[in-house]
Amino acid sequence: MSVFDTPSSVEPVLAKGVSIAKGSQGDISLPLKMANRHGLIAGATGTGKTVTLQRVAEQMARAGVTVFCVDIKGDLSGIAAPKEGAGPQVVFWDVFGKRGHPIRTTVSEFGPMLFSRLLDLSEAQTGVLQIVFRLSDDQGLLLLDLNDLKAVLAHIAENASEISQTYGLVSPSSVAAIQRALLAFENEGGAIFFGEPALQVEDLLSASDSKAAHLHVLAADELANHPRLYATVMLWLLAELYEDLPEAGDLPKPKLALFVDEAHMLFNDAPSVLVEKIEQVIRLIRSKGVGVYFITQNPVDLPETVLGQLGHRIQHALRAFTPKDQKAVRVAAQTFRPNPAFDTQETITQMGVGEALISFLDEKGAPGIVQRGKVHLPQSQIGKLSDAARAAILAASPYAGVYDQPVDRESAYERLASKIRRTSTGSVPHTGQTTTQPSSSGGGVGDVLSTVGKVLSGGKSRRQGLGETLVKSVVRQIGTQVGREIIRGVLGSISRR
């Protein structure tokens, strides 16, 4: 029988913390000032982890923290249906664009260093990939999707001798290895993540018209079937947040809290080099005011380097049927500061659904003594949202029509294909340029800046148009070479740490 605590129908939003559970000595609250110290929600299947996640996420959003949740099973979607009154505005996302707005980025923004980690390339292969990006910049070849990247790789392979004289040795074997790695990544569904309109991370941090923080839910039931793509999306999101956000210092509350359900999926099947970089970015991102919370069955599912960074712990029941299970219970118990009132290891195996052992950092950063408590029920629907309700939320979303339709403007693939056709027919190349066709020096800057001026002089509606999104994407793509290299340098420095 469920022992979740049912709080009063009207709950106040605490000034310094969010109410999570009811303990023997009163309310157990997570201090907002320490909420960027990362956390863990763990427990066996059916013990209440997802409901606890829903409670923590919605209460943070109600307190003004922007929240981004990864919903692996779809059970979290009910957070968009508050039981009484209004709740935080929920925005649904989906890499595949089926159950939420699509999430995309461009190849150029992802950069050579993150691609190198993603594809597990050698040092020589990474060098060739850097030549690909540098040559694309020099020749005004926009790298937007994987077709663009493959086209430039083929172009380099066909002109390896000439290109090697300017950029350094291009080994055919290295090019072939990169092409094979890209093919494997495409076969895992990776191509869908790259293209336009590219998601602007600033949209994840925007407040709604009611001045309450947005609560973003990434529908990831299909994404979970593509572990390398899943890890890629999460690494990109963390890296983008790290790049875009300034150093925050000690804030009254985090700028964003990221909740990753079934977190073991992120670490179990991803390439080891990708896991290593995710671990490093998690360690760094706390200083930007971002808290990351992992939800998994057992603490031992996470790498020790990650587990050691999780200051807040909510531990639901674990079962100890085998020696391996018993060891996991011991490990979980040892992560808590003991409470003389009960045996932590024994209690972990005896708790009912909705009960948890809880330890939060206090406002000085010290782990609190573990407490046993009944987690409060969420103030929203438990379980999946109906398809009709989800569709209505998507239609009313401030990003409806902004990211939904893919745009395939002229980029490296089209320009190189056109060059091949002209060569084969012997026709004279057209010398005129359009606003979307960059020249060798970057191209189209005047037209783009003119458009930017029109955008900036317009209204300040939160519902951004597709034109504005594309303008911002174009500006990012065809800015000066120095600007592009600075951005990639930031991402590269993260991936090398």
Side-chain angles (χ1 to χ4, degrees):
M1 183 176 67
S2 172
V3 291
F4 281 100
D5 180 64
T6 305
S8 60
S9 58
V10 179
E11 296 182 64
V13 176
L14 302 181
K16 293 185 178 181
V18 289
S19 177
I20 302 302
K22 180 181 180 181
S24 59
Q25 297 181 351
D27 189 76
I28 304 174
S29 298
L30 171 62
L32 283 173
K33 183 178 179 181
M34 305 302 295
N36 67 327
R37 265 38 176 202
H38 307 328
L40 172 70
I41 300 173
T45 300
T47 56
K49 296 189 304 296
T50 302
V51 176
T52 299
L53 157 62
Q54 187 168 336
R55 172 70 189 190
V56 178
E58 73 172 15
Q59 291 303 303
M60 280 199 180
R62 287 174 178 268
V65 178
T66 298
V67 171
F68 188 98
C69 300
V70 179
D71 183 15
I72 293 290
K73 301 183 294 291
D75 296 343
L76 194 59
S77 57
I79 202 169
K83 293 177 182 176
E84 295 183 17
Q89 182 172 10
V90 174
V91 180
F92 287 109
W93 302 91
D94 181 359
V95 171
F96 296 90
K98 297 176 181 178
R99 303 178 66 76
H101 304 304
I103 290 181
R104 307 181 191 89
T105 188
T106 65
V107 168
S108 181
E109 289 178 345
F110 201 75
M113 294 309 299
L114 290 186
F115 258 113
S116 174
R117 305 309 183 202
L118 166 65
L119 303 177
D120 198 12
L121 302 181
S122 68
E123 184 177 349
Q125 294 158 6
T126 300
V128 171
L129 195 60
Q130 289 175 327
I131 291 174
V132 169
F133 279 76
R134 180 59 180 270
L135 180 141
S136 299
D137 288 347
D138 292 347
Q139 297 188 8
L141 300 172
L142 297 183
L143 297 176
L144 304 180
D145 54 31
L146 289 190
N147 281 337
D148 295 326
L149 183 54
K150 291 189 297 182
V152 177
L153 274 169
H155 172 67
I156 286 178
E158 293 170 2
N159 301 275
S161 178
E162 178 184 349
I163 291 172
S164 294
Q165 295 177 18
T166 304
Y167 296 96
L169 179 64
V170 176
S171 166
S173 60
S174 292
V175 173
I178 298 172
Q179 290 172 325
R180 290 193 298 270
L182 281 173
L183 178 61
F185 182 57
E186 276 193 293
N187 290 340
E188 294 179 16
I192 198 167
F193 180 53
F194 294 96
E196 289 187 312
L199 175 66
Q200 300 168 66
V201 172
E202 65 193 56
D203 280 345
L204 299 181
L205 302 173
S206 300
S208 66
D209 295 337
S210 63
K211 297 184 179 180
H214 280 171
L215 200 162
H216 302 272
V217 177
L218 174 62
D221 45 350
E222 185 172 352
L223 183 62
N225 297 324
H226 305 271
R228 187 185 292 260
L229 178 58
Y230 180 27
T232 300
V233 172
M234 297 311 299
L235 175 59
W236 166 81
L237 178 59
L238 289 166
E240 284 288 294
L241 289 168
Y242 183 84
E243 176 200 348
D244 288 356
L245 295 176
E247 290 289 330
D250 294 326
L251 298 174
K253 58 187 176 184
K255 294 181 179 178
L256 182 140
L258 174 63
F259 292 84
V260 185
D261 197 5
E262 301 293 344
H264 60 279
M265 294 183 181
L266 182 61
F267 297 102
N268 285 354
D269 299 316
S272 59
V273 67
L274 204 57
V275 170
E276 178 186 348
K277 299 313 165 187
I278 292 174
E279 295 168 4
Q280 291 174 351
V281 176
I282 290 170
R283 183 173 65 251
L284 295 168
I285 204 170
R286 187 178 71 183
S287 66
K288 301 300 186 82
V290 176
V292 184
Y293 291 76
F294 295 103
I295 297 85
T296 191
Q297 295 186 21
N298 198 304
V300 298
D301 294 337
L302 304 182
E304 289 187 8
T305 51
V306 171
L307 196 61
Q309 299 178 53
L310 310 182
H312 305 294
R313 305 290 179 95
I314 302 177
Q315 178 68 61
H316 288 279
L318 290 174
R319 309 308 176 200
F321 301 121
T322 68
K324 183 179 179 180
D325 293 337
Q326 293 167 5
K327 179 180 178 181
V329 170
R330 252 189 336 268
V331 171
Q334 290 169 358
T335 64
F336 289 106
R337 183 179 169 188
N339 188 328
F342 56 84
D343 183 295
T344 303
Q345 183 172 331
E346 182 179 351
T347 302
I348 288 177
T349 63
Q350 296 177 347
M351 293 184 294
V353 176
E355 284 189 298
L357 294 178
I358 302 171
S359 174
F360 296 142
L361 299 179
D362 61 26
E363 293 197 358
K364 295 182 179 179
I369 293 175
V370 63
Q371 301 180 65
R372 182 174 181 173
K374 298 179 180 180
V375 176
H376 297 317
L377 283 171
Q379 292 179 269
S380 52
Q381 172 185 313
I382 296 176
K384 295 183 178 181
L385 197 67
S386 69
D387 290 341
R390 184 189 291 265
I393 290 172
L394 283 169
S397 167
Y399 309 110
V402 177
Y403 297 107
D404 298 331
Q405 296 301 319
V407 175
D408 186 16
R409 61 191 174 101
E410 186 177 65
S411 50
Y413 175 81
E414 288 80 10
R415 293 195 66 193
L416 290 173
S418 177
K419 181 179 179 180
I420 292 172
R421 287 194 299 269
R422 291 196 302 267
T423 302
S424 63
T425 60
S427 60
V428 178
H430 179 59
T431 57
Q433 293 184 17
T434 65
T435 56
T436 59
Q437 179 174 336
S439 67
S440 60
S441 61
V445 175
D447 291 327
V448 170
L449 293 179
S450 175
T451 307
V452 171
K454 294 177 182 178
V455 171
L456 295 178
S457 64
K460 296 184 178 180
S461 171
R462 184 56 253 165
R463 187 183 289 271
Q464 183 185 65
L466 177 59
E468 183 180 348
T469 301
L470 283 177
V471 165
K472 292 181 178 180
S473 180
V474 171
V475 170
R476 289 198 300 268
Q477 294 297 326
I478 68 173
T480 64
Q481 179 176 312
V482 173
R484 283 191 295 264
E485 292 181 353
I486 289 175
I487 291 174
R488 291 182 191 144
V490 173
L491 291 174
S493 65
I494 293 174
S495 66
R496 289 192 296 270
R497 293 188 186 187

